[in-house]
Amino acid sequence: PSPLTYVSYGDETSTKPPILLLHGLLGNSKNFASIAPILASEHSRLVISLDLPNHGSPGNWDPDMTSTSEITYEKMSKRVFDFLDWAGIDKCVVMGHSMGGKV
């Protein structure tokens, strides 16, 4: 299974690097539901919106991040890289909102 839950939009067969969307604090992958299909269509590429660790789906609960002192940008970014490895993505365009930009 994927290390993070996600929603994807657009052409999964596109040879262009996908656009990876990272939401802000207390957000989830659905925060980009209005703009993600437009980005996918206008840029002819796959757009992936992730649920960051301990956000969105209950499947994203990370036992290594159980208190605010244990939730770090470094740990969150590692989970994003784990997702990219899992998905076989070695190059992408990253767009983050607020906390997602820091990740």
Side-chain angles (χ1 to χ4, degrees):
S2 167
L4 293 171
T5 53
Y6 65 97
V7 180
S8 62
Y9 304 85
D11 184 3
E12 293 187 14
T13 63
S14 174
T15 58
K16 295 179 180 179
I19 298 173
L20 182 68
L21 303 176
L22 305 176
H23 61 76
L25 181 65
L26 304 178
N28 63 55
S29 59
K30 294 176 180 66
N31 289 144
F32 296 104
S34 62
I35 194 167
I38 296 167
L39 289 170
S41 174
E42 290 193 6
H43 296 282
S44 303
R45 62 177 78 201
L46 179 65
V47 174
I48 301 168
S49 182
L50 290 180
D51 281 326
L52 290 169
N54 295 358
H55 291 78
S57 169
N60 278 345
W61 181 254
D62 189 327
D64 292 331
M65 294 187 247
T66 56
S67 72
T68 54
S69 64
E70 296 171 342
I71 300 172
T72 65
Y73 292 120
E74 182 180 0
K75 286 181 180 179
M76 293 175 82
S77 64
K78 181 180 181 330
R79 291 286 303 276
V80 171
F81 278 110
D82 290 346
F83 172 83
L84 293 171
D85 287 343
W86 172 83
I89 298 170
D90 60 354
K91 184 178 179 181
C92 65
V93 175
V94 180
M95 187 172 100
H97 168 71
S98 191
M99 179 193 73
K102 290 183 176 186
V103 172

